Amino acid sequence: QVRTMRMRKKAILILAISALMFAICYFGQISIESKKYPSGRDTIRSFGNGTFQLLRSNVYGTKGKVLYMCNEINTCIIGDVQAIREQGNSVVVIGSPYKDYSGNEKVCVVIDLSNNVMEYCVWPSCNQRNRFILYADKMSEAGCAVFYESVFDFSEEKQQIIQELLQQLD
């Protein structure tokens, strides 16, 4: 009778462990599949469905962070991320166009996580988008980016966050 009880306990334990393993595998697969663009080994953080990813970079021995768009276009958005803030359903990212950039312009990007569309502007210069980003026209046509002439084209709430991040960089 004692032996039968031990066998039942072992059987229940094996079933519980099996059910737990199945649940972990099943739900883990669902969460991975929900990302349209999965993270890679250099990904620090992925936003939304994975369209935008913050990546580690090591350009010419200089370590940094890069904001990258992972979709049909696949291009670098900000070559040297210097400030980032998540606020509600948006991510605001500020940085230099590329590592060791000597100009005073900053790239300001706001990512809308609800639709994976970015708003892009160069501060303080106006209409500099084609100077710092490849495939800007293609991105506009695909509906995955909106390019502004001025930082004042952002909503007031986004302007405030951008100004706060820019002040932190000074």
Side-chain angles (χ1 to χ4, degrees):
Q1 194 173 17
V2 173
R3 188 172 184 200
T4 307
M5 290 290 284
R6 284 184 184 168
M7 288 180 67
R8 283 185 185 162
K9 285 183 180 179
K10 282 183 181 178
I12 291 171
L13 182 62
I14 290 171
L15 283 172
I17 291 172
S18 298
L20 181 62
M21 297 283 284
F22 174 78
I24 290 170
C25 291
Y26 178 76
F27 291 113
Q29 183 179 6
I30 289 174
S31 67
I32 290 170
E33 289 178 4
S34 67
K35 293 274 187 193
K36 187 173 181 181
Y37 304 100
S39 301
R41 68 178 190 177
D42 290 331
T43 304
I44 298 168
R45 183 81 201 275
S46 178
F47 301 103
N49 68 356
T51 299
F52 296 94
Q53 296 185 16
L54 186 63
L55 306 176
R56 281 181 200 85
S57 70
N58 191 356
V59 180
Y60 306 115
T62 307
K63 294 182 180 182
K65 297 175 188 169
V66 172
L67 182 64
Y68 199 81
M69 178 182 272
C70 301
N71 59 9
E72 297 76 29
I73 298 167
N74 280 328
T75 192
C76 178
I77 305 300
I78 299 179
D80 183 23
V81 173
Q82 297 167 346
I84 188 166
R85 182 182 298 171
E86 294 182 57
Q87 181 110 10
N89 209 25
S90 297
V91 179
V92 180
V93 186
I94 308 286
S96 293
Y98 47 88
K99 200 73 175 159
D100 299 327
Y101 176 69
S102 60
N104 65 344
E105 291 95 354
K106 295 292 181 193
V107 177
C108 306
V109 172
V110 178
I111 303 167
D112 185 338
L113 298 176
S114 66
N115 59 11
N116 292 300
V117 172
M118 75 167 185
E119 298 169 283
Y120 180 102
C121 181
V122 177
W123 173 258
S125 302
C126 294
N127 201 17
Q128 294 286 327
R129 69 182 169 119
N130 288 321
R131 180 172 165 196
F132 296 129
I133 193 166
L134 294 175
Y135 313 117
D137 294 330
K138 192 174 181 181
M139 294 165 91
S140 292
E141 291 168 11
C144 57
V146 177
F147 295 94
Y148 293 140
E149 302 258 334
S150 166
V151 75
F152 301 109
D153 293 333
F154 288 101
S155 70
E156 286 185 28
E157 178 186 357
K158 292 172 186 173
Q159 284 181 45
Q160 182 178 352
I161 295 168
I162 290 168
Q163 290 301 329
E164 289 171 6
L165 290 174
L166 286 169
Q167 287 175 355
Q168 289 176 5
L169 296 176
D170 288 339

